[in-house]
Amino acid sequence: MTIPTYDLHDGHKIPALGFGTAGIRGREGAAIIADAIGAGYRLIDSAFNYDNEGIVGQAIRDGGVDRSELFITSKLPGRYHEAPLARYAVEESLLRMGLDYVDLYLIHWPNPSKDLYVQAWEGLLEAQRDGLIRSVGVSNFKPHHLARIESATGVLPVVNQVELHPFYPQAPLLEHHAQAGIIAEAWSPLGKGTGVLEEAAVTAAAQAHGVSPAQVLLRWHLQRGALPIPKSGNPQRLRQNLAVFDFELSANEVDAITALGREDGRRFDGDPDYHEEY
Ligand code: A2P
């Protein structure tokens, strides 16, 4: 099975769906990630702060797929924003994963109260110039954070990974990103713990297409131009989440799911203007 790709504005391509690894740890976790690679995932999404880059590296070695076929992402922790720490974090990530480059490295959160994310961005751009990172991006950035790094460096991220699911569909942000040529990656694409998989708009579409509610949500992301990175520790479900390229939701089905959005639909109080992670 081949996963379609999106074009990044720096000339690289990214798989349109990836495997999330937050919370997947230990040798058992390495086996799950290697199984995901064997099942067909090519984009593996990790982070320095997931404390699992070591097992991601192990899974890459065990997965039976050439490294050049894989698209590996990690993320810069808040405590490493300041120069030259950002560079050290990238080097540490590479050593933990046993790689000589990473496909995509993101600033994990802007942490605006520290006001160091422009330095972090400059550090990632330097690591990119030196060949440690292929593509540079951000996570949990709002348009005003994006404008700030663009005005400081002239470079916009290729990707912004944000909370995105039917209870928090972020239509204005998706529109902004489409205009700017930024791919929106969805974290918590299945709305973990929110009950969205049981919503009638989702279950009705699932029944109509003979697929699961989770597959409907993944399709909803793809048809909105977003890039979902579902996590599953279960061999059947991780395979099911890949089987979303042979059916299509109608525009009405997409709209009915988007209409589940709520002003306060975030999974927790993760407003990037206030929520900070280090
Ligand atoms: P599990 O690991 O037991 O499969 P999100 O990616 O939105 O954070 O959601 C992850 C959660 O969704 C995990 O708890 C995962 O549980 C569950 N999940 C993943 N894939 C599916 C699926 N196809 N159907 C139902 N639940 C799923």
Side-chain angles (χ1 to χ4, degrees):
M1 100 99 64
T2 308
I3 299 172
T5 55
Y6 287 128
D7 291 328
L8 298 174
H9 71 62
D10 65 3
H12 292 293
K13 290 184 184 301
I14 187 169
L17 181 146
F19 189 68
T21 68
I24 297 184
R25 283 195 284 257
R27 290 204 179 275
E28 177 187 81
I32 292 167
I33 300 167
D35 184 42
I37 292 171
Y41 288 91
R42 294 295 174 263
L43 192 179
I44 306 297
D45 184 84
S46 180
F48 197 103
N49 273 351
Y50 295 171
D51 293 326
N52 68 3
E53 289 169 305
I55 66 159
V56 168
Q58 186 64 46
I60 292 168
R61 291 186 291 279
D62 292 345
V65 169
D66 195 84
R67 194 278 171 253
S68 64
E69 302 287 309
L70 298 171
F71 190 103
I72 308 300
T73 303
S74 193
K75 311 188 191 77
L76 182 73
R79 63 192 182 283
Y80 282 87
H81 278 192
E82 210 167 337
L85 297 181
R87 170 61 174 248
Y88 294 156
V90 175
E91 291 174 349
E92 182 64 25
S93 288
L94 290 176
L95 287 166
R96 290 181 186 185
M97 293 190 281
L99 299 178
D100 52 13
Y101 72 91
V102 65
D103 297 273
L104 176 65
Y105 211 86
L106 313 178
I107 299 177
H108 207 149
W109 288 86
N111 292 352
S113 78
K114 295 289 180 212
D115 200 21
L116 290 169
Y117 63 87
V118 172
Q119 269 189 49
W121 186 241
E122 288 165 345
L124 295 192
L125 292 175
E126 180 200 302
Q128 183 186 37
R129 279 193 293 274
D130 293 344
L132 305 184
I133 302 174
R134 288 257 163 101
S135 295
V136 283
V138 297
S139 186
N140 301 300
F141 272 44
K142 290 187 169 181
H144 70 95
H145 303 125
L146 294 168
R148 178 106 182 276
I149 59 173
E150 187 186 23
S151 75
T153 65
V155 185
L156 273 175
V158 292
V159 153
N160 185 18
Q161 185 179 123
V162 295
E163 178 172 1
L164 216 51
H165 47 74
F167 288 149
Y168 201 61
Q170 302 227 57
L173 189 78
L174 286 196
E175 179 58 32
H176 170 276
H177 283 27
Q179 300 287 336
I182 299 170
I183 301 291
E185 282 191 315
W187 62 258
S188 277
L190 304 176
K192 184 177 176 177
T194 63
V196 69
L197 294 174
E198 283 98 56
E199 284 287 335
V202 179
T203 55
Q207 213 165 18
H209 294 274
V211 297
S212 74
Q215 288 173 309
V216 166
L217 290 201
L218 296 171
R219 203 55 232 172
W220 172 80
H221 285 289
L222 293 166
Q223 291 184 219
R224 300 175 86 223
L227 190 166
I229 40 172
K231 186 221 101 177
S232 177
N234 174 283
Q236 284 78 40
R237 284 193 287 277
L238 71 81
R239 281 171 176 76
Q240 179 194 117
N241 294 346
L242 272 180
V244 294
F245 296 103
D246 58 357
F247 70 99
E248 192 156 351
L249 302 176
S250 70
N252 283 345
E253 288 168 330
V254 170
D255 291 346
I257 295 168
T258 308
L260 296 170
R262 309 164 176 171
E263 194 67 39
D264 62 347
R266 285 191 172 96
R267 278 190 48 219
F268 57 92
D269 189 19
D271 183 334
D273 280 330
Y274 307 102
H275 178 84
E276 304 200 334
E277 291 190 9
Y278 290 90

Short mmCIF file of all heavy atoms in Angstrom, two decimals, residues 108-168:
data_model
loop_
_atom_site.label_atom_id
_atom_site.label_comp_id
_atom_site.label_asym_id
_atom_site.label_seq_id
_atom_site.Cartn_x
_atom_site.Cartn_y
_atom_site.Cartn_z
N HIS A 108 8.21 22.55 19.46
CA HIS A 108 7.05 21.82 20.01
C HIS A 108 5.92 22.76 20.46
O HIS A 108 4.75 22.52 20.16
CB HIS A 108 7.52 20.92 21.17
CG HIS A 108 6.67 19.71 21.39
ND1 HIS A 108 7.15 18.53 21.87
CD2 HIS A 108 5.34 19.50 21.19
CE1 HIS A 108 6.18 17.65 21.97
NE2 HIS A 108 5.07 18.22 21.56
N TRP A 109 6.27 23.80 21.22
CA TRP A 109 5.30 24.82 21.66
C TRP A 109 6.00 26.18 21.62
O TRP A 109 7.20 26.24 21.91
CB TRP A 109 4.83 24.56 23.10
CG TRP A 109 3.91 23.38 23.28
CD1 TRP A 109 4.27 22.08 23.47
CD2 TRP A 109 2.47 23.41 23.29
NE1 TRP A 109 3.14 21.29 23.58
CE2 TRP A 109 2.03 22.08 23.49
CE3 TRP A 109 1.51 24.41 23.15
CZ2 TRP A 109 0.67 21.73 23.55
CZ3 TRP A 109 0.16 24.07 23.21
CH2 TRP A 109 -0.25 22.74 23.41
N PRO A 110 5.28 27.27 21.34
CA PRO A 110 5.96 28.57 21.29
C PRO A 110 6.40 29.10 22.66
O PRO A 110 7.36 29.86 22.74
CB PRO A 110 4.92 29.50 20.64
CG PRO A 110 3.60 28.84 20.84
CD PRO A 110 3.88 27.36 20.88
N ASN A 111 5.72 28.70 23.72
CA ASN A 111 6.07 29.17 25.08
C ASN A 111 6.29 30.69 25.11
O ASN A 111 7.39 31.17 25.43
CB ASN A 111 7.33 28.44 25.59
CG ASN A 111 7.07 26.97 25.83
OD1 ASN A 111 5.93 26.50 25.76
ND2 ASN A 111 8.10 26.22 26.13
N PRO A 112 5.24 31.46 24.77
CA PRO A 112 5.44 32.91 24.58
C PRO A 112 5.93 33.66 25.81
O PRO A 112 6.59 34.69 25.67
CB PRO A 112 4.07 33.41 24.13
CG PRO A 112 3.10 32.32 24.46
CD PRO A 112 3.86 31.04 24.47
N SER A 113 5.68 33.17 27.02
CA SER A 113 6.13 33.95 28.20
C SER A 113 7.64 34.01 28.26
O SER A 113 8.20 34.95 28.82
CB SER A 113 5.54 33.38 29.49
OG SER A 113 6.25 32.23 29.88
N LYS A 114 8.34 33.05 27.70
CA LYS A 114 9.81 33.07 27.66
C LYS A 114 10.32 33.88 26.47
O LYS A 114 11.45 34.35 26.47
CB LYS A 114 10.38 31.65 27.57
CG LYS A 114 10.09 30.81 28.77
CD LYS A 114 10.92 31.28 29.97
CE LYS A 114 10.60 30.40 31.16
NZ LYS A 114 10.68 31.07 32.44
N ASP A 115 9.48 33.97 25.44
CA ASP A 115 9.81 34.79 24.27
C ASP A 115 11.14 34.40 23.62
O ASP A 115 11.94 35.26 23.26
CB ASP A 115 9.81 36.27 24.66
CG ASP A 115 9.65 37.17 23.44
OD1 ASP A 115 9.14 36.67 22.41
OD2 ASP A 115 10.06 38.34 23.50
N LEU A 116 11.37 33.12 23.49
CA LEU A 116 12.63 32.65 22.88
C LEU A 116 12.39 31.86 21.60
O LEU A 116 13.32 31.29 21.04
CB LEU A 116 13.39 31.76 23.89
CG LEU A 116 13.99 32.48 25.09
CD1 LEU A 116 14.47 31.48 26.14
CD2 LEU A 116 15.15 33.38 24.65
N TYR A 117 11.13 31.84 21.13
CA TYR A 117 10.87 30.94 20.00
C TYR A 117 11.50 31.42 18.69
O TYR A 117 11.74 30.62 17.80
CB TYR A 117 9.38 30.59 19.86
CG TYR A 117 8.43 31.73 19.57
CD1 TYR A 117 8.17 32.14 18.27
CD2 TYR A 117 7.77 32.37 20.62
CE1 TYR A 117 7.27 33.17 18.02
CE2 TYR A 117 6.88 33.39 20.38
CZ TYR A 117 6.63 33.80 19.08
OH TYR A 117 5.74 34.80 18.83
N VAL A 118 11.78 32.73 18.59
CA VAL A 118 12.49 33.20 17.38
C VAL A 118 13.92 32.65 17.39
O VAL A 118 14.42 32.16 16.37
CB VAL A 118 12.48 34.75 17.29
CG1 VAL A 118 13.37 35.21 16.13
CG2 VAL A 118 11.05 35.25 17.07
N GLN A 119 14.56 32.69 18.55
CA GLN A 119 15.91 32.08 18.66
C GLN A 119 15.87 30.60 18.33
O GLN A 119 16.75 30.06 17.67
CB GLN A 119 16.43 32.21 20.10
CG GLN A 119 17.22 33.47 20.33
CD GLN A 119 17.91 33.45 21.70
OE1 GLN A 119 18.58 32.48 22.07
NE2 GLN A 119 17.74 34.54 22.42
N ALA A 120 14.83 29.92 18.81
CA ALA A 120 14.69 28.49 18.53
C ALA A 120 14.58 28.27 17.03
O ALA A 120 15.21 27.37 16.46
CB ALA A 120 13.47 27.92 19.25
N TRP A 121 13.78 29.12 16.39
CA TRP A 121 13.60 29.00 14.93
C TRP A 121 14.93 29.22 14.20
O TRP A 121 15.29 28.48 13.29
CB TRP A 121 12.53 30.01 14.48
CG TRP A 121 12.13 29.90 13.04
CD1 TRP A 121 12.25 30.85 12.07
CD2 TRP A 121 11.53 28.77 12.41
NE1 TRP A 121 11.76 30.38 10.87
CE2 TRP A 121 11.33 29.11 11.06
CE3 TRP A 121 11.16 27.50 12.85
CZ2 TRP A 121 10.75 28.22 10.14
CZ3 TRP A 121 10.60 26.61 11.94
CH2 TRP A 121 10.40 26.97 10.61
N GLU A 122 15.68 30.24 14.64
CA GLU A 122 16.99 30.50 14.02
C GLU A 122 17.92 29.31 14.22
O GLU A 122 18.68 28.94 13.32
CB GLU A 122 17.60 31.79 14.61
CG GLU A 122 16.87 33.02 14.11
CD GLU A 122 17.19 34.29 14.91
OE1 GLU A 122 17.76 34.18 16.02
OE2 GLU A 122 16.84 35.38 14.43
N GLY A 123 17.83 28.68 15.40
CA GLY A 123 18.67 27.50 15.67
C GLY A 123 18.32 26.34 14.75
O GLY A 123 19.20 25.65 14.22
N LEU A 124 17.01 26.14 14.51
CA LEU A 124 16.61 25.05 13.60
C LEU A 124 17.03 25.36 12.16
O LEU A 124 17.45 24.46 11.43
CB LEU A 124 15.09 24.82 13.68
CG LEU A 124 14.54 24.31 15.02
CD1 LEU A 124 13.09 23.84 14.84
CD2 LEU A 124 15.37 23.18 15.60
N LEU A 125 16.92 26.64 11.76
CA LEU A 125 17.35 26.99 10.40
C LEU A 125 18.84 26.74 10.21
O LEU A 125 19.28 26.27 9.15
CB LEU A 125 17.00 28.46 10.10
CG LEU A 125 15.50 28.77 10.00
CD1 LEU A 125 15.28 30.28 9.83
CD2 LEU A 125 14.85 28.01 8.86
N GLU A 126 19.61 27.02 11.26
CA GLU A 126 21.06 26.76 11.18
C GLU A 126 21.32 25.25 11.07
O GLU A 126 22.13 24.81 10.25
CB GLU A 126 21.73 27.32 12.44
CG GLU A 126 23.24 27.12 12.46
CD GLU A 126 23.79 27.24 13.88
OE1 GLU A 126 23.59 28.31 14.51
OE2 GLU A 126 24.38 26.25 14.36
N ALA A 127 20.60 24.47 11.85
CA ALA A 127 20.77 23.00 11.78
C ALA A 127 20.34 22.49 10.41
O ALA A 127 20.91 21.53 9.89
CB ALA A 127 19.96 22.34 12.89
N GLN A 128 19.35 23.15 9.82
CA GLN A 128 18.95 22.77 8.45
C GLN A 128 20.06 23.09 7.45
O GLN A 128 20.40 22.26 6.61
CB GLN A 128 17.66 23.51 8.07
CG GLN A 128 17.13 23.13 6.69
CD GLN A 128 15.95 23.97 6.27
OE1 GLN A 128 15.88 25.17 6.55
NE2 GLN A 128 15.00 23.36 5.60
N ARG A 129 20.64 24.29 7.57
CA ARG A 129 21.75 24.67 6.66
C ARG A 129 22.89 23.68 6.76
O ARG A 129 23.56 23.38 5.78
CB ARG A 129 22.25 26.08 7.00
CG ARG A 129 21.39 27.20 6.43
CD ARG A 129 22.09 28.55 6.53
NE ARG A 129 22.27 28.99 7.91
CZ ARG A 129 21.35 29.66 8.61
NH1 ARG A 129 20.19 29.95 8.06
NH2 ARG A 129 21.59 30.02 9.84
N ASP A 130 23.09 23.14 7.95
CA ASP A 130 24.20 22.20 8.16
C ASP A 130 23.83 20.76 7.82
O ASP A 130 24.62 19.83 8.07
CB ASP A 130 24.70 22.29 9.60
CG ASP A 130 25.36 23.64 9.87
OD1 ASP A 130 25.68 24.34 8.88
OD2 ASP A 130 25.54 24.00 11.04
N GLY A 131 22.61 20.54 7.35
CA GLY A 131 22.24 19.21 6.86
C GLY A 131 21.71 18.26 7.93
O GLY A 131 21.48 17.08 7.65
N LEU A 132 21.50 18.75 9.15
CA LEU A 132 21.00 17.85 10.21
C LEU A 132 19.49 17.65 10.08
O LEU A 132 18.94 16.65 10.54
CB LEU A 132 21.30 18.43 11.60
CG LEU A 132 22.76 18.78 11.90
CD1 LEU A 132 22.90 19.24 13.35
CD2 LEU A 132 23.66 17.59 11.64
N ILE A 133 18.81 18.65 9.49
CA ILE A 133 17.35 18.63 9.34
C ILE A 133 17.03 18.89 7.87
O ILE A 133 17.59 19.81 7.28
CB ILE A 133 16.71 19.78 10.17
CG1 ILE A 133 17.08 19.70 11.64
CG2 ILE A 133 15.22 19.80 9.99
CD1 ILE A 133 16.58 20.90 12.45
N ARG A 134 16.10 18.11 7.29
CA ARG A 134 15.69 18.38 5.90
C ARG A 134 14.69 19.54 5.85
O ARG A 134 14.84 20.46 5.07
CB ARG A 134 15.03 17.14 5.31
CG ARG A 134 16.00 16.01 5.01
CD ARG A 134 16.29 15.95 3.50
NE ARG A 134 17.48 15.17 3.25
CZ ARG A 134 17.49 13.90 2.83
NH1 ARG A 134 16.35 13.27 2.62
NH2 ARG A 134 18.62 13.28 2.61
N SER A 135 13.63 19.44 6.68
CA SER A 135 12.58 20.45 6.66
C SER A 135 12.34 20.95 8.08
O SER A 135 12.45 20.19 9.04
CB SER A 135 11.27 19.87 6.11
OG SER A 135 11.42 19.50 4.76
N VAL A 136 12.00 22.24 8.18
CA VAL A 136 11.78 22.82 9.51
C VAL A 136 10.32 23.25 9.65
O VAL A 136 9.73 23.79 8.71
CB VAL A 136 12.72 24.02 9.78
CG1 VAL A 136 14.12 23.55 10.12
CG2 VAL A 136 12.74 24.97 8.61
N GLY A 137 9.79 23.03 10.83
CA GLY A 137 8.39 23.37 11.06
C GLY A 137 8.15 23.73 12.51
O GLY A 137 9.09 23.84 13.31
N VAL A 138 6.89 23.91 12.82
CA VAL A 138 6.50 24.29 14.18
C VAL A 138 5.28 23.48 14.60
O VAL A 138 4.67 22.77 13.79
CB VAL A 138 6.19 25.80 14.29
CG1 VAL A 138 7.43 26.64 13.96
CG2 VAL A 138 5.03 26.19 13.38
N SER A 139 4.94 23.62 15.87
CA SER A 139 3.76 22.96 16.39
C SER A 139 3.08 23.92 17.37
O SER A 139 3.77 24.65 18.10
CB SER A 139 4.20 21.67 17.11
OG SER A 139 3.09 20.92 17.52
N ASN A 140 1.79 23.91 17.37
CA ASN A 140 1.02 24.73 18.31
C ASN A 140 1.27 26.22 18.14
O ASN A 140 1.24 26.98 19.10
CB ASN A 140 1.32 24.29 19.76
CG ASN A 140 0.98 22.83 19.98
OD1 ASN A 140 -0.16 22.43 19.82
ND2 ASN A 140 1.98 22.03 20.32
N PHE A 141 1.55 26.64 16.90
CA PHE A 141 1.73 28.07 16.63
C PHE A 141 0.41 28.65 16.14
O PHE A 141 -0.31 28.03 15.36
CB PHE A 141 2.81 28.30 15.56
CG PHE A 141 4.21 28.42 16.12
CD1 PHE A 141 4.68 27.54 17.09
CD2 PHE A 141 5.08 29.41 15.66
CE1 PHE A 141 5.97 27.65 17.61
CE2 PHE A 141 6.37 29.53 16.17
CZ PHE A 141 6.82 28.66 17.14
N LYS A 142 0.10 29.88 16.60
CA LYS A 142 -1.02 30.64 16.07
C LYS A 142 -0.49 31.55 14.96
O LYS A 142 0.73 31.78 14.87
CB LYS A 142 -1.65 31.47 17.18
CG LYS A 142 -2.39 30.64 18.21
CD LYS A 142 -3.13 31.56 19.17
CE LYS A 142 -4.09 30.78 20.03
NZ LYS A 142 -4.82 31.69 20.96
N PRO A 143 -1.40 32.11 14.13
CA PRO A 143 -0.91 32.97 13.04
C PRO A 143 0.02 34.09 13.51
O PRO A 143 0.99 34.42 12.82
CB PRO A 143 -2.21 33.52 12.44
CG PRO A 143 -3.18 32.37 12.63
CD PRO A 143 -2.83 31.80 14.00
N HIS A 144 -0.20 34.65 14.70
CA HIS A 144 0.69 35.75 15.11
C HIS A 144 2.08 35.25 15.49
O HIS A 144 3.09 35.96 15.30
CB HIS A 144 0.06 36.60 16.22
CG HIS A 144 -0.06 35.94 17.56
ND1 HIS A 144 0.90 36.10 18.54
CD2 HIS A 144 -1.01 35.13 18.08
CE1 HIS A 144 0.52 35.40 19.62
NE2 HIS A 144 -0.63 34.81 19.36
N HIS A 145 2.18 34.00 15.96
CA HIS A 145 3.52 33.42 16.20
C HIS A 145 4.23 33.16 14.86
O HIS A 145 5.44 33.38 14.73
CB HIS A 145 3.41 32.08 16.96
CG HIS A 145 2.71 32.16 18.28
ND1 HIS A 145 1.63 31.37 18.60
CD2 HIS A 145 2.94 32.93 19.37
CE1 HIS A 145 1.22 31.65 19.82
NE2 HIS A 145 1.99 32.60 20.31
N LEU A 146 3.44 32.69 13.89
CA LEU A 146 4.02 32.43 12.55
C LEU A 146 4.52 33.73 11.93
O LEU A 146 5.61 33.77 11.35
CB LEU A 146 2.96 31.79 11.64
CG LEU A 146 2.47 30.40 12.03
CD1 LEU A 146 1.24 30.00 11.22
CD2 LEU A 146 3.58 29.36 11.82
N ALA A 147 3.71 34.79 12.07
CA ALA A 147 4.10 36.08 11.48
C ALA A 147 5.41 36.57 12.09
O ALA A 147 6.27 37.13 11.42
CB ALA A 147 2.98 37.10 11.70
N ARG A 148 5.56 36.33 13.38
CA ARG A 148 6.77 36.80 14.08
C ARG A 148 8.02 36.09 13.55
O ARG A 148 9.02 36.74 13.26
CB ARG A 148 6.56 36.52 15.57
CG ARG A 148 7.69 36.89 16.44
CD ARG A 148 7.41 38.16 17.25
NE ARG A 148 8.60 38.44 18.02
CZ ARG A 148 8.85 37.89 19.19
NH1 ARG A 148 7.96 37.10 19.75
NH2 ARG A 148 9.98 38.17 19.82
N ILE A 149 7.99 34.77 13.39
CA ILE A 149 9.20 34.09 12.91
C ILE A 149 9.44 34.42 11.44
O ILE A 149 10.58 34.52 11.01
CB ILE A 149 9.20 32.55 13.16
CG1 ILE A 149 8.02 31.84 12.51
CG2 ILE A 149 9.29 32.23 14.64
CD1 ILE A 149 8.10 30.31 12.61
N GLU A 150 8.36 34.66 10.70
CA GLU A 150 8.57 35.02 9.29
C GLU A 150 9.20 36.39 9.19
O GLU A 150 10.13 36.61 8.42
CB GLU A 150 7.25 34.98 8.51
CG GLU A 150 7.51 35.19 7.03
CD GLU A 150 6.24 35.32 6.19
OE1 GLU A 150 5.19 35.69 6.73
OE2 GLU A 150 6.35 35.07 4.97
N SER A 151 8.74 37.35 10.01
CA SER A 151 9.31 38.69 9.88
C SER A 151 10.75 38.71 10.39
O SER A 151 11.59 39.46 9.89
CB SER A 151 8.45 39.75 10.56
OG SER A 151 8.59 39.67 11.95
N ALA A 152 11.10 37.83 11.33
CA ALA A 152 12.49 37.80 11.84
C ALA A 152 13.44 37.12 10.87
O ALA A 152 14.62 37.49 10.79
CB ALA A 152 12.53 37.09 13.19
N THR A 153 12.95 36.10 10.12
CA THR A 153 13.89 35.27 9.34
C THR A 153 13.52 35.16 7.87
O THR A 153 14.32 34.65 7.08
CB THR A 153 13.92 33.83 9.91
OG1 THR A 153 12.63 33.23 9.71
CG2 THR A 153 14.28 33.81 11.39
N GLY A 154 12.32 35.59 7.50
CA GLY A 154 11.88 35.43 6.11
C GLY A 154 11.45 34.01 5.77
O GLY A 154 11.13 33.73 4.61
N VAL A 155 11.45 33.12 6.76
CA VAL A 155 11.14 31.70 6.47
C VAL A 155 9.91 31.27 7.26
O VAL A 155 9.87 31.37 8.49
CB VAL A 155 12.32 30.78 6.83
CG1 VAL A 155 12.01 29.34 6.41
CG2 VAL A 155 13.61 31.26 6.21
N LEU A 156 8.92 30.75 6.53
CA LEU A 156 7.75 30.17 7.17
C LEU A 156 7.95 28.66 7.30
O LEU A 156 8.61 28.04 6.47
CB LEU A 156 6.50 30.40 6.31
CG LEU A 156 5.73 31.70 6.52
CD1 LEU A 156 4.61 31.81 5.49
CD2 LEU A 156 5.17 31.81 7.94
N PRO A 157 7.40 28.05 8.34
CA PRO A 157 7.50 26.60 8.47
C PRO A 157 6.76 25.89 7.35
O PRO A 157 5.80 26.42 6.80
CB PRO A 157 6.83 26.32 9.82
CG PRO A 157 5.93 27.47 10.04
CD PRO A 157 6.58 28.66 9.39
N VAL A 158 7.19 24.66 7.03
CA VAL A 158 6.47 23.87 6.04
C VAL A 158 5.23 23.25 6.65
O VAL A 158 4.26 22.94 5.96
CB VAL A 158 7.35 22.76 5.43
CG1 VAL A 158 8.46 23.36 4.58
CG2 VAL A 158 7.92 21.83 6.48
N VAL A 159 5.28 23.05 7.97
CA VAL A 159 4.24 22.33 8.69
C VAL A 159 3.96 23.05 10.00
O VAL A 159 4.87 23.58 10.63
CB VAL A 159 4.75 20.89 9.00
CG1 VAL A 159 4.09 20.31 10.22
CG2 VAL A 159 4.55 19.96 7.80
N ASN A 160 2.69 23.10 10.42
CA ASN A 160 2.34 23.50 11.79
C ASN A 160 1.47 22.37 12.34
O ASN A 160 0.40 22.09 11.80
CB ASN A 160 1.58 24.82 11.78
CG ASN A 160 1.29 25.35 13.18
OD1 ASN A 160 1.90 24.94 14.17
ND2 ASN A 160 0.36 26.30 13.27
N GLN A 161 1.96 21.71 13.37
CA GLN A 161 1.20 20.58 13.94
C GLN A 161 0.36 21.10 15.11
O GLN A 161 0.90 21.61 16.09
CB GLN A 161 2.16 19.49 14.42
CG GLN A 161 1.42 18.26 14.91
CD GLN A 161 2.32 17.14 15.38
OE1 GLN A 161 2.21 16.69 16.52
NE2 GLN A 161 3.19 16.65 14.52
N VAL A 162 -0.96 21.00 14.96
CA VAL A 162 -1.87 21.61 15.93
C VAL A 162 -2.96 20.62 16.34
O VAL A 162 -3.18 19.61 15.67
CB VAL A 162 -2.55 22.86 15.33
CG1 VAL A 162 -1.51 23.95 15.05
CG2 VAL A 162 -3.32 22.53 14.06
N GLU A 163 -3.64 20.96 17.43
CA GLU A 163 -4.80 20.16 17.84
C GLU A 163 -5.91 20.32 16.79
O GLU A 163 -6.32 21.43 16.48
CB GLU A 163 -5.31 20.62 19.21
CG GLU A 163 -6.54 19.84 19.64
CD GLU A 163 -6.97 20.12 21.09
OE1 GLU A 163 -6.33 20.93 21.77
OE2 GLU A 163 -7.97 19.49 21.51
N LEU A 164 -6.37 19.19 16.27
CA LEU A 164 -7.37 19.23 15.20
C LEU A 164 -8.21 17.97 15.27
O LEU A 164 -7.67 16.85 15.19
CB LEU A 164 -6.61 19.26 13.86
CG LEU A 164 -7.12 20.05 12.66
CD1 LEU A 164 -7.44 21.48 13.02
CD2 LEU A 164 -6.06 20.01 11.56
N HIS A 165 -9.49 18.12 15.50
CA HIS A 165 -10.45 17.01 15.48
C HIS A 165 -11.83 17.64 15.37
O HIS A 165 -11.95 18.88 15.44
CB HIS A 165 -10.28 16.14 16.76
CG HIS A 165 -10.21 16.91 18.03
ND1 HIS A 165 -11.32 17.50 18.60
CD2 HIS A 165 -9.16 17.24 18.82
CE1 HIS A 165 -10.96 18.14 19.70
NE2 HIS A 165 -9.65 18.01 19.86
N PRO A 166 -12.89 16.86 15.19
CA PRO A 166 -14.18 17.48 14.90
C PRO A 166 -14.69 18.45 15.98
O PRO A 166 -15.38 19.40 15.66
CB PRO A 166 -15.12 16.29 14.73
CG PRO A 166 -14.23 15.22 14.21
CD PRO A 166 -12.93 15.40 14.96
N PHE A 167 -14.35 18.23 17.24
CA PHE A 167 -14.78 19.18 18.26
C PHE A 167 -13.93 20.46 18.23
O PHE A 167 -14.26 21.46 18.84
CB PHE A 167 -14.72 18.56 19.66
CG PHE A 167 -15.79 17.53 19.90
CD1 PHE A 167 -15.55 16.45 20.76
CD2 PHE A 167 -17.03 17.62 19.30
CE1 PHE A 167 -16.54 15.49 20.98
CE2 PHE A 167 -18.03 16.67 19.51
CZ PHE A 167 -17.77 15.59 20.36
N TYR A 168 -12.80 20.41 17.53
CA TYR A 168 -11.93 21.59 17.43
C TYR A 168 -11.37 21.67 16.00
O TYR A 168 -10.19 21.44 15.76
CB TYR A 168 -10.79 21.49 18.47
CG TYR A 168 -10.21 22.84 18.77
CD1 TYR A 168 -11.00 23.86 19.29
CD2 TYR A 168 -8.88 23.12 18.48
CE1 TYR A 168 -10.49 25.12 19.52
CE2 TYR A 168 -8.36 24.37 18.72
CZ TYR A 168 -9.17 25.36 19.23
OH TYR A 168 -8.66 26.61 19.46
#
